[in-house]
Amino acid sequence: MWEEFIEKHKNIYERFGYLDVIVHDDLRIERKKLQRGRPKEEKSKSHRITVRLDDELYELLQKYCRAKNVSESEAIRKLILELKWKHF
């Protein structure tokens, strides 16, 4: 029974090395469907902005990212959060 089930879903088994299986009360079995996309974060980032930088600013951002070992997006988020503590 299991060999037949694995053979039927061979492409998924070979790709992931396992199958998620649902066993119903009447002992029917089926493969659990794969979930698509990234898991949802608790605090979703729903706003997207685009910024144009000249070469000098872009290089400064790159140096900061390498020094702090963070992505460009994370670096910009951190720098914006620092504005909270500045008085305008």
Side-chain angles (χ1 to χ4, degrees), residues 6 12 17 20 31 42 62-63 66 68 72 76:
I6 290 173
I12 301 294
D20 285 330
R31 180 177 63 84
E42 279 185 34
Q62 293 298 307
K63 285 179 183 177
R66 284 191 297 269
K68 300 291 185 179
E72 292 172 353
I76 292 169

Side-chain angles (χ1 to χ4, degrees), residues 67-84:
K68 300 291 185 179
N69 196 26
V70 295
S71 68
E72 292 172 353
S73 297
E74 189 60 31
I76 292 169
R77 280 187 212 104
K78 286 182 178 184
L79 293 168
I80 291 172
L81 282 174
E82 286 182 16
L83 293 175
K84 278 174 125 176

